[in-house]
Amino acid sequence: MSQNIILTTGLYDLIKDHVRRKKVTQAEEDLLLNELKHASQVLRKDLPENIVSVNKKVTYKDLENNVEKTVLFVGPKNAKISKNKISILSDEGIAMVGYPIGNVIEWPSKKGNLKLEILNVEEIA
């Protein structure tokens, strides 16, 4: 996780606001603020296809329990768990946002430590 994450400006602002509203643990806040400080901000059209972001279908593996999952990350207001539409501000979303395929992310979430490997990222039209 030493590389800098890549975010759209809108997503950067959304995460910053999420942290400001104390919606994350102290450990997450410390990590997020450090990541945001070094993040590259790009326009949506300039976001590389392999980066986890909003409106991206992401396949990842939870390395703690060896389960593979595919979800569509969406904005918080569009989340519908029954349709596998997960908020980008969920524990998994906030951990993986801005990272490309192939990264393994270790993240201290509210539900315990996560260890997630990003297997695939697809653009959704």
Side-chain angles (χ1 to χ4, degrees):
M1 287 193 342
S2 59
Q3 74 190 69
N4 296 344
I5 61 173
I6 302 172
L7 301 170
T8 61
T9 303
L11 196 47
Y12 177 94
D13 292 341
L14 182 69
I15 294 169
K16 195 110 172 151
D17 187 56
H18 191 63
V19 171
R20 203 175 301 119
R21 293 172 186 255
K22 298 292 183 195
K23 302 279 187 179
V24 295
T25 65
Q26 188 61 52
E28 284 179 293
E29 181 177 336
D30 294 343
L31 274 170
L32 279 170
L33 290 176
N34 187 50
E35 283 190 337
L36 290 174
K37 188 176 7 173
H38 299 101
S40 298
Q41 290 186 56
V42 298
L43 298 173
R44 176 165 284 291
K45 67 179 178 66
D46 296 330
L47 187 69
E49 287 180 17
N50 68 337
I51 298 290
V52 174
S53 189
V54 173
N55 296 326
K56 299 273 185 117
K57 189 175 176 183
V58 177
T59 301
Y60 65 93
K61 186 173 197 172
D62 183 332
L63 298 175
E64 293 294 324
N65 57 24
N66 211 27
V67 172
E68 220 175 272
K69 214 172 176 188
T70 299
V71 299
L72 175 62
F73 283 120
V74 295
K77 292 179 180 151
N78 297 323
K80 284 192 176 52
I81 293 180
S82 63
K83 296 189 184 222
N84 260 359
K85 292 182 176 183
I86 309 297
S87 170
I88 197 70
L89 297 179
S90 66
D91 290 341
E92 292 82 358
I94 212 88
M96 292 187 284
V97 69
Y99 283 99
I101 294 169
N103 269 262
V104 173
I105 294 104
E106 294 187 42
W107 196 261
S109 78
K110 291 183 263 330
K111 50 182 159 180
N113 289 337
L114 299 174
K115 188 170 183 180
L116 309 170
E117 180 181 6
I118 303 167
L119 301 176
N120 194 34
V121 177
E122 294 176 50
E123 192 79 42
I124 299 299

mmCIF file of all heavy atoms in Angstrom, residues 4-44:
data_model
loop_
_atom_site.group_PDB
_atom_site.id
_atom_site.type_symbol
_atom_site.label_atom_id
_atom_site.label_comp_id
_atom_site.label_asym_id
_atom_site.label_seq_id
_atom_site.Cartn_x
_atom_site.Cartn_y
_atom_site.Cartn_z
ATOM 1 N N ASN A 4 0.635 5.789 -4.228
ATOM 2 C CA ASN A 4 -0.403 6.791 -4.045
ATOM 3 C C ASN A 4 -1.673 6.355 -4.752
ATOM 4 O O ASN A 4 -1.624 5.806 -5.850
ATOM 5 C CB ASN A 4 0.067 8.138 -4.604
ATOM 6 C CG ASN A 4 1.257 8.676 -3.837
ATOM 7 O OD1 ASN A 4 1.561 8.223 -2.740
ATOM 8 N ND2 ASN A 4 1.938 9.632 -4.413
ATOM 9 N N ILE A 5 -2.806 6.627 -4.107
ATOM 10 C CA ILE A 5 -4.079 6.282 -4.723
ATOM 11 C C ILE A 5 -4.461 7.349 -5.751
ATOM 12 O O ILE A 5 -3.943 8.468 -5.720
ATOM 13 C CB ILE A 5 -5.193 6.103 -3.673
ATOM 14 C CG1 ILE A 5 -5.433 7.379 -2.866
ATOM 15 C CG2 ILE A 5 -4.877 4.931 -2.751
ATOM 16 C CD1 ILE A 5 -6.632 7.320 -1.945
ATOM 17 N N ILE A 6 -5.364 6.983 -6.666
ATOM 18 C CA ILE A 6 -5.845 7.902 -7.696
ATOM 19 C C ILE A 6 -7.348 8.041 -7.518
ATOM 20 O O ILE A 6 -8.071 7.036 -7.504
ATOM 21 C CB ILE A 6 -5.520 7.368 -9.109
ATOM 22 C CG1 ILE A 6 -4.015 7.151 -9.266
ATOM 23 C CG2 ILE A 6 -6.056 8.329 -10.171
ATOM 24 C CD1 ILE A 6 -3.636 6.441 -10.560
ATOM 25 N N LEU A 7 -7.812 9.272 -7.354
ATOM 26 C CA LEU A 7 -9.230 9.547 -7.120
ATOM 27 C C LEU A 7 -9.722 10.650 -8.035
ATOM 28 O O LEU A 7 -8.952 11.539 -8.402
ATOM 29 C CB LEU A 7 -9.446 10.019 -5.675
ATOM 30 C CG LEU A 7 -9.024 9.101 -4.541
ATOM 31 C CD1 LEU A 7 -9.099 9.851 -3.224
ATOM 32 C CD2 LEU A 7 -9.909 7.879 -4.503
ATOM 33 N N THR A 8 -11.023 10.607 -8.341
ATOM 34 C CA THR A 8 -11.615 11.762 -8.995
ATOM 35 C C THR A 8 -11.774 12.839 -7.927
ATOM 36 O O THR A 8 -11.844 12.537 -6.722
ATOM 37 C CB THR A 8 -13.003 11.432 -9.589
ATOM 38 O OG1 THR A 8 -13.876 11.035 -8.533
ATOM 39 C CG2 THR A 8 -12.909 10.345 -10.652
ATOM 40 N N THR A 9 -11.846 14.073 -8.332
ATOM 41 C CA THR A 9 -11.977 15.179 -7.380
ATOM 42 C C THR A 9 -13.240 15.024 -6.541
ATOM 43 O O THR A 9 -13.231 15.245 -5.329
ATOM 44 C CB THR A 9 -11.968 16.530 -8.130
ATOM 45 O OG1 THR A 9 -10.748 16.586 -8.886
ATOM 46 C CG2 THR A 9 -12.005 17.698 -7.177
ATOM 47 N N GLY A 10 -14.339 14.614 -7.179
ATOM 48 C CA GLY A 10 -15.598 14.433 -6.454
ATOM 49 C C GLY A 10 -15.492 13.365 -5.381
ATOM 50 O O GLY A 10 -16.009 13.522 -4.267
ATOM 51 N N LEU A 11 -14.829 12.279 -5.685
ATOM 52 C CA LEU A 11 -14.657 11.190 -4.728
ATOM 53 C C LEU A 11 -13.715 11.609 -3.600
ATOM 54 O O LEU A 11 -13.942 11.274 -2.435
ATOM 55 C CB LEU A 11 -14.130 9.952 -5.447
ATOM 56 C CG LEU A 11 -14.234 8.626 -4.715
ATOM 57 C CD1 LEU A 11 -15.607 8.404 -4.112
ATOM 58 C CD2 LEU A 11 -13.912 7.492 -5.667
ATOM 59 N N TYR A 12 -12.696 12.351 -3.942
ATOM 60 C CA TYR A 12 -11.778 12.894 -2.936
ATOM 61 C C TYR A 12 -12.572 13.714 -1.916
ATOM 62 O O TYR A 12 -12.438 13.530 -0.706
ATOM 63 C CB TYR A 12 -10.716 13.765 -3.626
ATOM 64 C CG TYR A 12 -9.754 14.433 -2.677
ATOM 65 C CD1 TYR A 12 -8.535 13.835 -2.364
ATOM 66 C CD2 TYR A 12 -10.043 15.667 -2.109
ATOM 67 C CE1 TYR A 12 -7.639 14.442 -1.501
ATOM 68 C CE2 TYR A 12 -9.156 16.287 -1.242
ATOM 69 C CZ TYR A 12 -7.955 15.670 -0.937
ATOM 70 O OH TYR A 12 -7.081 16.271 -0.083
ATOM 71 N N ASP A 13 -13.433 14.612 -2.419
ATOM 72 C CA ASP A 13 -14.245 15.467 -1.537
ATOM 73 C C ASP A 13 -15.218 14.643 -0.701
ATOM 74 O O ASP A 13 -15.438 14.930 0.474
ATOM 75 C CB ASP A 13 -15.000 16.515 -2.350
ATOM 76 C CG ASP A 13 -14.063 17.546 -2.982
ATOM 77 O OD1 ASP A 13 -12.904 17.674 -2.524
ATOM 78 O OD2 ASP A 13 -14.490 18.223 -3.940
ATOM 79 N N LEU A 14 -15.824 13.606 -1.297
ATOM 80 C CA LEU A 14 -16.774 12.745 -0.590
ATOM 81 C C LEU A 14 -16.083 12.027 0.574
ATOM 82 O O LEU A 14 -16.617 11.982 1.685
ATOM 83 C CB LEU A 14 -17.370 11.724 -1.565
ATOM 84 C CG LEU A 14 -18.417 10.767 -0.998
ATOM 85 C CD1 LEU A 14 -19.704 11.522 -0.668
ATOM 86 C CD2 LEU A 14 -18.708 9.656 -1.988
ATOM 87 N N ILE A 15 -14.890 11.498 0.332
ATOM 88 C CA ILE A 15 -14.153 10.792 1.384
ATOM 89 C C ILE A 15 -13.719 11.762 2.473
ATOM 90 O O ILE A 15 -13.824 11.471 3.661
ATOM 91 C CB ILE A 15 -12.945 10.029 0.796
ATOM 92 C CG1 ILE A 15 -13.446 8.911 -0.123
ATOM 93 C CG2 ILE A 15 -12.054 9.473 1.901
ATOM 94 C CD1 ILE A 15 -12.365 8.256 -0.955
ATOM 95 N N LYS A 16 -13.243 12.925 2.069
ATOM 96 C CA LYS A 16 -12.813 13.940 3.038
ATOM 97 C C LYS A 16 -13.984 14.311 3.960
ATOM 98 O O LYS A 16 -13.830 14.416 5.178
ATOM 99 C CB LYS A 16 -12.306 15.176 2.274
ATOM 100 C CG LYS A 16 -11.532 16.115 3.113
ATOM 101 C CD LYS A 16 -10.090 16.080 2.706
ATOM 102 C CE LYS A 16 -9.378 17.173 3.420
ATOM 103 N NZ LYS A 16 -8.015 16.891 3.672
ATOM 104 N N ASP A 17 -15.176 14.481 3.380
ATOM 105 C CA ASP A 17 -16.370 14.803 4.152
ATOM 106 C C ASP A 17 -16.747 13.640 5.075
ATOM 107 O O ASP A 17 -17.153 13.850 6.222
ATOM 108 C CB ASP A 17 -17.531 15.145 3.205
ATOM 109 C CG ASP A 17 -18.742 15.652 3.949
ATOM 110 O OD1 ASP A 17 -18.601 16.643 4.695
ATOM 111 O OD2 ASP A 17 -19.826 15.048 3.798
ATOM 112 N N HIS A 18 -16.621 12.423 4.588
ATOM 113 C CA HIS A 18 -16.915 11.219 5.368
ATOM 114 C C HIS A 18 -16.029 11.171 6.616
ATOM 115 O O HIS A 18 -16.497 10.871 7.717
ATOM 116 C CB HIS A 18 -16.672 9.998 4.470
ATOM 117 C CG HIS A 18 -17.157 8.692 5.015
ATOM 118 N ND1 HIS A 18 -18.479 8.442 5.262
ATOM 119 C CD2 HIS A 18 -16.486 7.552 5.336
ATOM 120 C CE1 HIS A 18 -18.608 7.197 5.725
ATOM 121 N NE2 HIS A 18 -17.413 6.646 5.778
ATOM 122 N N VAL A 19 -14.759 11.488 6.446
ATOM 123 C CA VAL A 19 -13.812 11.516 7.566
ATOM 124 C C VAL A 19 -14.166 12.658 8.522
ATOM 125 O O VAL A 19 -14.193 12.474 9.741
ATOM 126 C CB VAL A 19 -12.353 11.665 7.061
ATOM 127 C CG1 VAL A 19 -11.397 11.926 8.212
ATOM 128 C CG2 VAL A 19 -11.936 10.431 6.276
ATOM 129 N N ARG A 20 -14.470 13.822 7.951
ATOM 130 C CA ARG A 20 -14.811 14.998 8.759
ATOM 131 C C ARG A 20 -16.026 14.738 9.658
ATOM 132 O O ARG A 20 -16.115 15.232 10.767
ATOM 133 C CB ARG A 20 -15.092 16.192 7.838
ATOM 134 C CG ARG A 20 -14.921 17.529 8.499
ATOM 135 C CD ARG A 20 -15.079 18.711 7.549
ATOM 136 N NE ARG A 20 -14.143 18.709 6.445
ATOM 137 C CZ ARG A 20 -14.489 18.646 5.146
ATOM 138 N NH1 ARG A 20 -15.748 18.593 4.780
ATOM 139 N NH2 ARG A 20 -13.574 18.649 4.212
ATOM 140 N N ARG A 21 -16.962 13.938 9.152
ATOM 141 C CA ARG A 21 -18.177 13.618 9.913
ATOM 142 C C ARG A 21 -17.968 12.473 10.897
ATOM 143 O O ARG A 21 -18.922 11.982 11.497
ATOM 144 C CB ARG A 21 -19.310 13.253 8.954
ATOM 145 C CG ARG A 21 -19.788 14.400 8.114
ATOM 146 C CD ARG A 21 -20.766 13.884 7.071
ATOM 147 N NE ARG A 21 -21.142 14.908 6.154
ATOM 148 C CZ ARG A 21 -22.325 15.515 6.168
ATOM 149 N NH1 ARG A 21 -23.224 15.195 7.061
ATOM 150 N NH2 ARG A 21 -22.597 16.440 5.277
ATOM 151 N N LYS A 22 -16.719 12.012 11.034
ATOM 152 C CA LYS A 22 -16.344 10.957 11.987
ATOM 153 C C LYS A 22 -17.103 9.654 11.736
ATOM 154 O O LYS A 22 -17.563 8.994 12.665
ATOM 155 C CB LYS A 22 -16.576 11.430 13.436
ATOM 156 C CG LYS A 22 -15.758 12.623 13.843
ATOM 157 C CD LYS A 22 -14.297 12.255 13.906
ATOM 158 C CE LYS A 22 -13.466 13.435 14.385
ATOM 159 N NZ LYS A 22 -12.054 13.247 14.129
ATOM 160 N N LYS A 23 -17.217 9.263 10.465
ATOM 161 C CA LYS A 23 -17.909 8.028 10.087
ATOM 162 C C LYS A 23 -16.941 6.848 10.024
ATOM 163 O O LYS A 23 -17.314 5.774 9.576
ATOM 164 C CB LYS A 23 -18.593 8.196 8.727
ATOM 165 C CG LYS A 23 -19.593 9.314 8.666
ATOM 166 C CD LYS A 23 -20.901 8.886 9.259
ATOM 167 C CE LYS A 23 -21.942 9.965 9.023
ATOM 168 N NZ LYS A 23 -23.230 9.601 9.540
ATOM 169 N N VAL A 24 -15.699 7.055 10.422
ATOM 170 C CA VAL A 24 -14.677 6.010 10.370
ATOM 171 C C VAL A 24 -13.990 5.896 11.731
ATOM 172 O O VAL A 24 -14.084 6.805 12.555
ATOM 173 C CB VAL A 24 -13.619 6.315 9.275
ATOM 174 C CG1 VAL A 24 -14.231 6.272 7.895
ATOM 175 C CG2 VAL A 24 -12.967 7.676 9.498
ATOM 176 N N THR A 25 -13.313 4.784 11.942
ATOM 177 C CA THR A 25 -12.563 4.613 13.185
ATOM 178 C C THR A 25 -11.337 5.546 13.170
ATOM 179 O O THR A 25 -10.946 6.048 12.107
ATOM 180 C CB THR A 25 -12.074 3.157 13.337
ATOM 181 O OG1 THR A 25 -11.132 2.885 12.295
ATOM 182 C CG2 THR A 25 -13.227 2.165 13.283
ATOM 183 N N GLN A 26 -10.719 5.723 14.327
ATOM 184 C CA GLN A 26 -9.523 6.573 14.392
ATOM 185 C C GLN A 26 -8.401 6.015 13.520
ATOM 186 O O GLN A 26 -7.709 6.761 12.832
ATOM 187 C CB GLN A 26 -9.051 6.727 15.839
ATOM 188 C CG GLN A 26 -7.928 7.743 16.009
ATOM 189 C CD GLN A 26 -8.323 9.148 15.575
ATOM 190 O OE1 GLN A 26 -9.339 9.669 16.012
ATOM 191 N NE2 GLN A 26 -7.535 9.761 14.708
ATOM 192 N N ALA A 27 -8.241 4.692 13.531
ATOM 193 C CA ALA A 27 -7.184 4.073 12.706
ATOM 194 C C ALA A 27 -7.461 4.323 11.224
ATOM 195 O O ALA A 27 -6.543 4.646 10.458
ATOM 196 C CB ALA A 27 -7.105 2.573 12.989
ATOM 197 N N GLU A 28 -8.739 4.187 10.804
ATOM 198 C CA GLU A 28 -9.094 4.451 9.409
ATOM 199 C C GLU A 28 -8.870 5.922 9.073
ATOM 200 O O GLU A 28 -8.376 6.247 7.995
ATOM 201 C CB GLU A 28 -10.564 4.118 9.148
ATOM 202 C CG GLU A 28 -10.876 2.650 9.044
ATOM 203 C CD GLU A 28 -12.353 2.420 8.813
ATOM 204 O OE1 GLU A 28 -13.155 2.714 9.713
ATOM 205 O OE2 GLU A 28 -12.696 1.959 7.711
ATOM 206 N N GLU A 29 -9.260 6.792 9.993
ATOM 207 C CA GLU A 29 -9.090 8.229 9.748
ATOM 208 C C GLU A 29 -7.624 8.568 9.514
ATOM 209 O O GLU A 29 -7.296 9.278 8.558
ATOM 210 C CB GLU A 29 -9.626 9.037 10.941
ATOM 211 C CG GLU A 29 -9.492 10.532 10.743
ATOM 212 C CD GLU A 29 -10.079 11.345 11.889
ATOM 213 O OE1 GLU A 29 -10.955 10.858 12.613
ATOM 214 O OE2 GLU A 29 -9.642 12.507 12.053
ATOM 215 N N ASP A 30 -6.743 8.040 10.346
ATOM 216 C CA ASP A 30 -5.311 8.310 10.190
ATOM 217 C C ASP A 30 -4.806 7.828 8.826
ATOM 218 O O ASP A 30 -4.095 8.551 8.126
ATOM 219 C CB ASP A 30 -4.511 7.632 11.309
ATOM 220 C CG ASP A 30 -4.817 8.216 12.687
ATOM 221 O OD1 ASP A 30 -5.394 9.333 12.768
ATOM 222 O OD2 ASP A 30 -4.501 7.551 13.691
ATOM 223 N N LEU A 31 -5.194 6.604 8.441
ATOM 224 C CA LEU A 31 -4.785 6.062 7.146
ATOM 225 C C LEU A 31 -5.363 6.873 5.992
ATOM 226 O O LEU A 31 -4.661 7.213 5.039
ATOM 227 C CB LEU A 31 -5.255 4.609 7.006
ATOM 228 C CG LEU A 31 -4.355 3.531 7.566
ATOM 229 C CD1 LEU A 31 -5.067 2.190 7.575
ATOM 230 C CD2 LEU A 31 -3.065 3.434 6.780
ATOM 231 N N LEU A 32 -6.663 7.175 6.068
ATOM 232 C CA LEU A 32 -7.324 7.915 4.987
ATOM 233 C C LEU A 32 -6.723 9.307 4.805
ATOM 234 O O LEU A 32 -6.474 9.733 3.679
ATOM 235 C CB LEU A 32 -8.826 8.038 5.253
ATOM 236 C CG LEU A 32 -9.660 6.827 4.897
ATOM 237 C CD1 LEU A 32 -11.072 6.979 5.444
ATOM 238 C CD2 LEU A 32 -9.694 6.609 3.397
ATOM 239 N N LEU A 33 -6.510 10.009 5.906
ATOM 240 C CA LEU A 33 -5.949 11.359 5.779
ATOM 241 C C LEU A 33 -4.559 11.318 5.156
ATOM 242 O O LEU A 33 -4.220 12.177 4.334
ATOM 243 C CB LEU A 33 -5.931 12.063 7.137
ATOM 244 C CG LEU A 33 -7.303 12.452 7.680
ATOM 245 C CD1 LEU A 33 -7.177 13.058 9.075
ATOM 246 C CD2 LEU A 33 -8.035 13.402 6.740
ATOM 247 N N ASN A 34 -3.768 10.313 5.503
ATOM 248 C CA ASN A 34 -2.446 10.165 4.898
ATOM 249 C C ASN A 34 -2.569 9.836 3.407
ATOM 250 O O ASN A 34 -1.852 10.396 2.580
ATOM 251 C CB ASN A 34 -1.644 9.086 5.627
ATOM 252 C CG ASN A 34 -0.222 9.034 5.122
ATOM 253 O OD1 ASN A 34 0.465 10.057 5.038
ATOM 254 N ND2 ASN A 34 0.227 7.856 4.745
ATOM 255 N N GLU A 35 -3.498 8.922 3.066
ATOM 256 C CA GLU A 35 -3.695 8.578 1.659
ATOM 257 C C GLU A 35 -4.187 9.787 0.862
ATOM 258 O O GLU A 35 -3.737 10.026 -0.249
ATOM 259 C CB GLU A 35 -4.686 7.418 1.517
ATOM 260 C CG GLU A 35 -4.075 6.083 1.855
ATOM 261 C CD GLU A 35 -4.971 4.918 1.475
ATOM 262 O OE1 GLU A 35 -6.197 5.082 1.344
ATOM 263 O OE2 GLU A 35 -4.415 3.829 1.297
ATOM 264 N N LEU A 36 -5.124 10.539 1.434
ATOM 265 C CA LEU A 36 -5.666 11.707 0.732
ATOM 266 C C LEU A 36 -4.588 12.766 0.510
ATOM 267 O O LEU A 36 -4.560 13.424 -0.524
ATOM 268 C CB LEU A 36 -6.854 12.302 1.499
ATOM 269 C CG LEU A 36 -8.129 11.465 1.505
ATOM 270 C CD1 LEU A 36 -9.170 12.105 2.419
ATOM 271 C CD2 LEU A 36 -8.686 11.264 0.113
ATOM 272 N N LYS A 37 -3.695 12.905 1.492
ATOM 273 C CA LYS A 37 -2.627 13.899 1.381
ATOM 274 C C LYS A 37 -1.728 13.613 0.170
ATOM 275 O O LYS A 37 -1.218 14.521 -0.473
ATOM 276 C CB LYS A 37 -1.800 13.903 2.671
ATOM 277 C CG LYS A 37 -0.805 15.030 2.730
ATOM 278 C CD LYS A 37 0.002 15.181 4.009
ATOM 279 C CE LYS A 37 -0.113 14.133 5.048
ATOM 280 N NZ LYS A 37 0.821 14.301 6.163
ATOM 281 N N HIS A 38 -1.545 12.325 -0.145
ATOM 282 C CA HIS A 38 -0.656 11.937 -1.239
ATOM 283 C C HIS A 38 -1.394 11.490 -2.498
ATOM 284 O O HIS A 38 -0.760 11.074 -3.470
ATOM 285 C CB HIS A 38 0.276 10.815 -0.768
ATOM 286 C CG HIS A 38 1.137 11.229 0.384
ATOM 287 N ND1 HIS A 38 0.860 10.890 1.682
ATOM 288 C CD2 HIS A 38 2.246 11.996 0.432
ATOM 289 C CE1 HIS A 38 1.771 11.424 2.478
ATOM 290 N NE2 HIS A 38 2.628 12.095 1.748
ATOM 291 N N ALA A 39 -2.716 11.551 -2.467
ATOM 292 C CA ALA A 39 -3.515 11.062 -3.599
ATOM 293 C C ALA A 39 -3.346 11.938 -4.832
ATOM 294 O O ALA A 39 -3.136 13.151 -4.737
ATOM 295 C CB ALA A 39 -4.992 11.029 -3.214
ATOM 296 N N SER A 40 -3.453 11.297 -5.990
ATOM 297 C CA SER A 40 -3.503 12.035 -7.260
ATOM 298 C C SER A 40 -4.974 12.252 -7.581
ATOM 299 O O SER A 40 -5.762 11.299 -7.567
ATOM 300 C CB SER A 40 -2.879 11.218 -8.389
ATOM 301 O OG SER A 40 -1.526 10.976 -8.126
ATOM 302 N N GLN A 41 -5.346 13.504 -7.869
ATOM 303 C CA GLN A 41 -6.721 13.800 -8.246
ATOM 304 C C GLN A 41 -6.783 13.988 -9.751
ATOM 305 O O GLN A 41 -5.959 14.696 -10.326
ATOM 306 C CB GLN A 41 -7.208 15.066 -7.549
ATOM 307 C CG GLN A 41 -7.413 14.898 -6.063
ATOM 308 C CD GLN A 41 -8.033 16.139 -5.442
ATOM 309 O OE1 GLN A 41 -9.094 16.572 -5.862
ATOM 310 N NE2 GLN A 41 -7.354 16.688 -4.453
ATOM 311 N N VAL A 42 -7.772 13.314 -10.365
ATOM 312 C CA VAL A 42 -7.929 13.392 -11.813
ATOM 313 C C VAL A 42 -9.399 13.629 -12.154
ATOM 314 O O VAL A 42 -10.283 13.395 -11.328
ATOM 315 C CB VAL A 42 -7.448 12.091 -12.506
ATOM 316 C CG1 VAL A 42 -5.976 11.851 -12.258
ATOM 317 C CG2 VAL A 42 -8.272 10.893 -12.080
ATOM 318 N N LEU A 43 -9.628 14.070 -13.374
ATOM 319 C CA LEU A 43 -10.997 14.168 -13.871
ATOM 320 C C LEU A 43 -11.498 12.757 -14.141
ATOM 321 O O LEU A 43 -10.707 11.860 -14.446
ATOM 322 C CB LEU A 43 -11.045 14.983 -15.160
ATOM 323 C CG LEU A 43 -10.593 16.445 -15.054
ATOM 324 C CD1 LEU A 43 -10.525 17.075 -16.436
ATOM 325 C CD2 LEU A 43 -11.560 17.214 -14.154
ATOM 326 N N ARG A 44 -12.820 12.552 -14.061
ATOM 327 C CA ARG A 44 -13.396 11.225 -14.280
ATOM 328 C C ARG A 44 -12.918 10.619 -15.607
ATOM 329 O O ARG A 44 -12.570 9.454 -15.668
ATOM 330 C CB ARG A 44 -14.927 11.300 -14.252
ATOM 331 C CG ARG A 44 -15.564 9.957 -14.565
ATOM 332 C CD ARG A 44 -17.005 9.884 -14.204
ATOM 333 N NE ARG A 44 -17.259 9.727 -12.788
ATOM 334 C CZ ARG A 44 -16.985 8.643 -12.084
ATOM 335 N NH1 ARG A 44 -16.414 7.618 -12.650
ATOM 336 N NH2 ARG A 44 -17.274 8.571 -10.816
#
